[in-house]
Amino acid sequence: GAVVSQHPSWVICKSGTSVKIECRSLDFQATTMFWYRQFPKQSLMLMATSNEGSKATYEQGVEKDKFLINHASLTLSTLTVTSAHPEDSSFYICSARGSGVYSGNTIYFGEGSWLTVV
Amino acid sequence: QKEVEQDPGPLSVPEGAIVSLNCTYSNSAFQYFMWYRQYSRKGPELLMYTYSSGNKEDGRFTAQVDKSSKYISLFIRDSQPSDSATYLCAMRGGGNKLTFGTGTQLKVEL
């Protein structure tokens, strides 16, 4: 199946700093990528949807200035958590939807990135 | 009422049992139905994908969709301890946005 890779798998940062998480589709072109946040024992919460070359669409309640999303190419999207605080500590997961016969209708997830803000 | 309802469990079964996982939904616009498996501290892994109503089988896994009842199921035959995980149902209409169930925690015991 299609592969979506996230990096880093885990990161610890100091409060007030920014951290960037990358999401790459390795064997297909992802026209649309999604960023989720997941709290322990809860389901995934969609944060934003990004389409290549355009601004991301954020879900209600998600601060766009705090969670910067860039989808600069068909294989790469990045999430930058700016001025991170301990309450931003969470599991962040990206997913990607491709186009065409290979992966057009299915959505694949990355392995997730654990962020701890100290 | 949530758009997608899924029993959170936990569900505990003996090794070799047949496992039945279910979701109900209320949005008749949903056309694409997926089951994901998520191990602890990992991202969800796509198990099954089904379009519209019908059955789909892949190895020990069978997915069923009954759009008339707004009910989807995932069956796992000959369950193994390695199947212990959280199983998430997900669905969408013609757009991109997935709507998830809360996930069912499954434990297969030796």
Side-chain angles (χ1 to χ4, degrees):
Chain A
V3 179
V4 175
S5 176
Q6 261 184 262
H7 178 81
S9 299
W10 57 271
V11 58
I12 301 173
C13 70
K14 290 185 177 180
S15 185
T17 63
S18 296
V19 62
K20 180 186 287 188
I21 300 170
E22 292 187 348
C23 179
R24 294 181 184 273
S25 57
L26 298 184
D27 53 2
F28 67 101
Q29 292 186 325
T31 52
T32 306
M33 286 186 167
F34 310 85
W35 287 95
Y36 293 84
R37 186 173 179 176
Q38 187 177 33
F39 293 102
K41 299 190 182 298
Q42 293 188 27
S43 192
L44 288 78
M45 182 189 78
L46 179 65
M47 298 174 66
T49 302
S50 72
N51 292 295
E52 186 265 339
S54 62
K55 289 185 178 180
T57 302
Y58 289 81
E59 295 298 300
Q60 192 172 10
V62 178
E63 298 176 61
K64 60 180 68 177
D65 294 331
K66 181 167 187 60
F67 298 99
L68 300 179
I69 291 171
N70 183 275
H71 192 161
S73 76
L74 285 171
T75 59
L76 174 65
S77 177
T78 59
L79 167 67
T80 301
V81 183
T82 62
S83 186
H85 291 283
E87 57 265 31
D88 298 325
S89 299
S90 189
F91 190 46
Y92 293 88
I93 313 172
C94 72
S95 67
R97 178 186 178 187
S99 59
V101 175
Y102 180 56
S103 58
N105 286 319
T106 53
I107 297 173
Y108 298 91
F109 284 83
E111 310 99 320
S113 299
W114 284 96
L115 169 63
T116 301
V117 184
V118 298
Chain B
Q1 184 189 7
K2 294 180 181 177
E3 273 193 299
V4 179
E5 297 278 358
Q6 184 177 9
D7 187 339
L11 176 63
S12 185
V13 301
E15 183 179 9
I18 296 174
V19 176
S20 173
L21 303 167
N22 312 292
C23 289
T24 59
Y25 63 96
S26 57
N27 189 341
S28 58
F30 288 144
Q31 303 174 58
Y32 302 93
F33 304 90
M34 284 142 277
W35 285 95
Y36 292 88
R37 176 175 63 195
Q38 186 175 25
Y39 291 111
S40 181
R41 305 176 72 88
K42 297 288 186 181
E45 172 193 6
L46 179 65
L47 283 178
M48 300 290 283
Y49 157 71
T50 310
Y51 170 68
S52 194
S53 285
N55 294 357
K56 186 174 184 179
E57 187 174 323
D58 184 0
R60 296 186 295 113
F61 299 93
T62 299
Q64 288 185 352
V65 174
D66 182 349
K67 289 190 71 178
S68 63
S69 302
K70 297 188 176 66
Y71 187 87
I72 69 170
S73 300
L74 177 70
F75 297 95
I76 307 174
R77 291 182 297 280
D78 188 25
S79 56
Q80 304 295 311
S82 59
D83 294 328
S84 298
T86 296
Y87 290 80
L88 295 156
C89 65
M91 49 199 78
R92 66 180 181 90
N96 284 314
K97 187 175 177 179
L98 279 179
T99 301
F100 286 91
T102 52
T104 299
Q105 186 181 350
L106 171 67
K107 185 174 182 181
V108 180
E109 297 178 328
L110 290 168

